[in-house]
Amino acid sequence: MKCSRSKSKIKDEQKNSHNLVVLDFIGSHVVRLFVTKYPDYQIFNLDALTYAGNLENLKDIEDASNYTFIKEDINDAAVLKELFLQHKFDSVIHLAAESHVDRSITDPLSFVKTNIIGTMNLLNAAKDLWKDNYENKLFYHISTDEVYGTLGETGFFNEETAYDPNSPYSASKAGSDHFVRAYGETYGLPYIITNCSNNYGPNQFPEKLIPLFIHNIVQNKALPVYGDGNYTRDWLYVEDHAIAIDLAFHKSEVKNTYNIGGFNEWKNLELVKLLCTVMDKKLNRENGSSQKLITFIKDRPGHDKRYAIDATRINKELGWKPSVTFEEGLEKTVDWYLSNEEWLRNVTSGKYQEYYEEQYR
Ligand code: TYD
């Protein structure tokens, strides 16, 4: 049975509520949105800071009176239990994940640890604190469209599509989704799950396609396109994802799932060509010069051909749709990276170099 949360009631009762957001790149945008839009909420941001630069992502709000940063790891069950007891969180928005497919191919176990065991630790801490009274509590788990596997030339993933993950990354996210659902069924834990398509935007670590290629174009380095470049992804600007999360957090029924997507499919090679054109303009380079950096390399093993999201449900039920076009979002993203060269330099020093050599040797 679906138990619905009263919308007007929630607003009142969530005043002064303690909301834990567990971070990654998308999480930093969610934290900023919640801290600025809901001054009555106490937002606790938990991050292990495994990736360089995460704290810098939130410099603009670090002094806000409703914001607290906690440097801890979701892999530490005892610490989580303690934190939940201490701060009495009313809700959790869980965005912490190892999320890069290529890294999951070289080190699958670390994905099991963070994505599955880490999620279990959060679930256990929430359940133990809330189990006597689940009213107005919420465990919001953020997931990916990659749990659905791959599509052919046509069709879309919707909320009823069967899970069929192909990479260690997507298998670990699928596992975590299943555990969240299982805690709902077994222990009555109020949860929602949203599965989103590829995000892009400011602050994304330059291991993913768009920030990596922006970084390489600036440096006149090769743009390593896997296979023939005819793989298709649906791209969503990260701030639009944060808006969708805000809506789902406040308005979704519990035990519910929404797919979130950009209605914006691109073949990798076409996307890279568009990015090259934007970059040539921004860097005052001759049109076509960045495209010369495109280099086709050996395909990623188990590479999913196409992802495409049917986001009709969240559109119809919560009135959400993307607010920026891909061209607008890409331009904002490029502008951000070009005016935050220090951030880029910081996150690409040290361990990043080792990763890059290993991955693209
Ligand atoms: P990515 O940003 O890693 O996201 P995901 O694998 O989760 O979709 O990759 C997006 C697409 O770009 C994917 O089809 C793989 C491709 N890609 C490349 O061709 N070269 C690269 O160096 C990277 C990082 C990705």
Side-chain angles (χ1 to χ4, degrees), residues 185-256:
E185 292 304 319
T186 308
Y187 306 111
L189 187 87
Y191 74 85
I192 56 174
I193 301 174
T194 51
N195 297 77
C196 191
S197 61
N198 286 52
N199 279 224
Y200 69 98
N203 298 118
Q204 189 172 31
F205 195 71
E207 60 185 359
K208 299 291 181 91
L209 182 71
I210 290 178
L212 175 69
F213 280 27
I214 292 174
H215 179 52
N216 284 12
I217 291 171
V218 170
Q219 300 209 326
N220 266 310
K221 271 170 77 174
L223 304 176
V225 172
Y226 290 137
D228 59 6
N230 278 322
Y231 294 88
T232 302
R233 298 290 183 265
D234 170 41
W235 294 91
L236 178 65
Y237 189 59
V238 64
E239 287 178 10
D240 277 329
H241 188 188
I243 292 167
I245 289 171
D246 178 18
L247 277 172
F249 178 80
H250 289 98
K251 296 196 168 156
S252 173
E253 294 188 339
V254 297
K255 290 195 177 183
N256 199 12

Side-chain angles (χ1 to χ4, degrees), residues 94-304:
H94 173 27
L95 301 109
E98 291 283 352
S99 65
H100 188 40
V101 174
D102 295 326
R103 287 189 196 250
S104 82
I105 294 168
T106 47
D107 184 14
L109 202 54
S110 67
F111 282 65
V112 173
K113 283 186 190 141
T114 300
N115 296 357
I116 300 187
I117 312 268
T119 300
M120 294 284 298
N121 290 338
L122 273 174
L123 284 167
N124 284 333
K127 169 175 79 66
D128 290 350
L129 180 68
W130 300 343
K131 63 179 186 288
D132 294 332
N133 183 6
Y134 280 131
E135 212 175 318
N136 286 309
K137 304 290 189 289
L138 183 65
F139 192 100
Y140 182 173
H141 181 61
I142 311 291
S143 191
T144 166
D145 59 355
E146 300 191 29
V147 297
Y148 298 122
T150 186
L151 291 164
E153 289 295 321
T154 57
F156 296 90
F157 300 131
N158 64 33
E159 289 80 357
E160 270 70 51
T161 304
Y163 278 30
D164 190 18
N166 291 318
S167 72
Y169 162 61
S170 51
S172 69
K173 286 301 285 185
S176 67
D177 293 10
H178 289 320
F179 272 109
V180 173
R181 234 176 238 121
Y183 270 56
E185 292 304 319
T186 308
Y187 306 111
L189 187 87
Y191 74 85
I192 56 174
I193 301 174
T194 51
N195 297 77
C196 191
S197 61
N198 286 52
N199 279 224
Y200 69 98
N203 298 118
Q204 189 172 31
F205 195 71
E207 60 185 359
K208 299 291 181 91
L209 182 71
I210 290 178
L212 175 69
F213 280 27
I214 292 174
H215 179 52
N216 284 12
I217 291 171
V218 170
Q219 300 209 326
N220 266 310
K221 271 170 77 174
L223 304 176
V225 172
Y226 290 137
D228 59 6
N230 278 322
Y231 294 88
T232 302
R233 298 290 183 265
D234 170 41
W235 294 91
L236 178 65
Y237 189 59
V238 64
E239 287 178 10
D240 277 329
H241 188 188
I243 292 167
I245 289 171
D246 178 18
L247 277 172
F249 178 80
H250 289 98
K251 296 196 168 156
S252 173
E253 294 188 339
V254 297
K255 290 195 177 183
N256 199 12
T257 303
Y258 285 113
N259 280 356
I260 304 170
F263 303 98
N264 177 41
E265 283 184 53
W266 284 82
K267 282 198 167 33
N268 291 341
L269 189 56
E270 295 310 312
L271 186 160
V272 172
K273 285 181 180 166
L274 173 66
L275 179 62
C276 287
T277 308
V278 174
M279 291 293 289
D280 283 345
K281 235 186 255 157
K282 297 276 174 193
L283 296 171
N284 289 322
R285 290 183 186 168
E286 193 190 331
N287 188 24
S289 55
S290 297
Q291 272 200 39
K292 293 191 188 130
L293 299 169
I294 293 175
T295 311
F296 294 95
I297 60 165
K298 191 164 168 267
D299 211 349
R300 172 191 277 175
H303 200 161
D304 286 331

Side-chain angles (χ1 to χ4, degrees), residues 23-31 95 142 196 199 238 241-242 245:
L23 257 202
D24 71 344
F25 141 69
I26 301 166
S28 65
H29 292 269
V30 173
V31 165
L95 301 109
I142 311 291
C196 191
N199 279 224
V238 64
H241 188 188
I245 289 171

